[in-house]
Each structure stands twice: as C-alpha cells, then as structure tokens.
Amino acid sequence: MKNDGRLGRNFLKGVIGDAMNALLCGAGHNLRKILRQLALLCARFGVSINQSLTVNTFSLQRTG
C-alpha cells in the first residue's frame, strides 16, 4: 500500500499533516479506481459503436 498509495513519504508537518496525508492518499486511490472504470466503460462504448457501424455498413452494401 505504501508504494501504490503513495504513502512512502509524508511532506506535511505534524499530526494533522499525517492525517491529511492519509486522507488525501485514500481519495487519490479512489479517484484512480473511478478513472480506471470510466476508461474501461468508454472503451466498451467505443467498441459497441464500432461494431454497430460495421454491421450497418455491411447490411447497406448487401442491399445496394
């Protein structure tokens, strides 16, 4: 968790800085997870659009 969550070094001073660092690292971790899922969703959406356009183009070529 220290390497992945960037908890290796705390640049904030004092006990409050320690707490803020842990909170910000947790928020950053959650944000990275959300962005990863959003990228996956966009990729799936792009693939489905591409497949839809390919099927429509193929059917238009057969009828024309």
Side-chain angles (χ1 to χ4, degrees):
M1 183 66 183
K2 281 190 174 186
N3 289 332
D4 294 337
R6 300 186 180 26
L7 284 170
R9 170 96 184 187
N10 183 9
F11 294 101
L12 304 174
K13 189 174 183 180
V15 176
I16 295 174
D18 293 341
M20 286 175 33
N21 188 50
L23 183 68
L24 291 172
C25 286
H29 175 73
N30 290 336
L31 187 59
R32 282 190 298 274
K33 286 175 60 176
I34 290 169
L35 290 175
R36 190 177 311 122
Q37 290 296 321
L38 184 60
L40 182 62
L41 179 68
C42 289
R44 287 181 181 170
F45 182 70
V47 167
S48 67
I49 292 289
N50 190 17
Q51 287 176 348
S52 175
L53 291 175
T54 303
V55 168
N56 288 339
T57 304
F58 181 69
S59 65
L60 287 175
Q61 288 175 352
R62 288 185 72 194
T63 60

